[in-house]
Amino acid sequence: MPSTRRPLKIYCGISAIFFIIILVILIVIFLTLLRPKQPGVTANSITLKHFDAEVFPAFGLNVTLALVLTINNHRNYGSFKYDNTTAYLSYHGEVIAEAPLEGDLIPARSKHNISTTVDIGVDKLVESPYFLNESSQGVLNFTSVTTLRGIVRVFKVFHLHAVAHSTCEVALFLKLETVDSICTSKLKL
């Protein structure tokens, strides 16, 4: 009887070692090649949808920006599905506009556009101590902050909760009625 158990123990031991080796290889591949990486975020298009300034009889300013952010997910083997959220536009630390963003899916190894419009709150803008100086120079500087919370799915097998945080520095040139921006992003798992 003892002689028939020995080959079974050897088989089980070899199988366990083989399983551990395969598991270690899969973990190493996931942590190196398949690990979610920072997506590239660029302000593909920030345009003035509406701009109206009046000086007489009372000062008035109406500004609507159309934003199109491009998420470059080419480096990732996982898709990112995010929930509904809000993008905030601030002027020297004071939030002056909010824009709702509908939840969506950013496919793996591709680009994805996120579009919205932002109506700038003129009251808070005009009350800022920086407004007169910057408007006389012809450039207003804003910061756009967006936080996308969702799930990263790698090959529809691994599901990880993630938060993508994007910050864009936006310069609005009043005389030219154009916009320039620089964006950075961070992904936290």
Side-chain angles (χ1 to χ4, degrees), residues 35-84:
R35 182 174 179 234
K37 299 163 187 70
Q38 298 294 337
V41 177
T42 55
N44 189 27
S45 172
I46 299 179
T47 57
L48 287 172
K49 189 173 182 180
H50 177 75
F51 181 84
D52 185 28
E54 294 180 14
V55 179
F56 188 78
F59 181 77
L61 181 65
N62 295 317
V63 178
T64 302
L65 298 177
L67 304 170
V68 179
L69 296 177
T70 299
I71 311 293
N72 188 344
N73 203 26
H74 279 239
R75 298 176 56 206
N76 287 306
Y77 289 92
S79 62
F80 179 57
K81 184 175 184 179
Y82 61 91
D83 301 325
N84 292 343

Side-chain angles (χ1 to χ4, degrees), residues 84-141:
N84 292 343
T85 190
T86 303
Y88 298 96
L89 186 70
S90 61
Y91 182 70
H92 294 282
E94 181 77 25
V95 175
I96 60 169
E98 297 179 6
L101 298 174
E102 291 186 28
D104 205 352
L105 175 73
I106 301 172
R109 316 254 329 137
S110 65
K111 287 185 179 181
H112 182 74
N113 290 332
I114 300 174
S115 302
T116 191
T117 58
V118 178
D119 294 320
I120 295 177
V122 178
D123 298 340
K124 292 180 181 178
L125 185 66
V126 174
E127 291 172 1
S128 173
Y130 303 99
F131 179 74
L132 286 177
N133 186 31
E134 286 188 1
S135 62
S136 67
Q137 293 176 1
V139 178
L140 297 177
N141 297 301

Side-chain angles (χ1 to χ4, degrees), residues 135-166:
S135 62
S136 67
Q137 293 176 1
V139 178
L140 297 177
N141 297 301
F142 302 99
T143 302
S144 171
V145 176
T146 306
T147 301
L148 303 175
R149 299 179 191 283
I151 296 176
V152 174
R153 291 188 175 106
V154 181
F155 295 127
K156 297 182 182 179
V157 176
F158 301 104
H159 299 261
L160 304 169
H161 290 279
V163 177
H165 184 77
S166 172

Side-chain angles (χ1 to χ4, degrees), residues 160-179:
L160 304 169
H161 290 279
V163 177
H165 184 77
S166 172
T167 303
C168 295
E169 299 299 326
V170 180
L172 170 62
F173 297 96
L174 298 174
K175 292 178 184 175
L176 301 174
E177 296 185 10
T178 60
V179 178

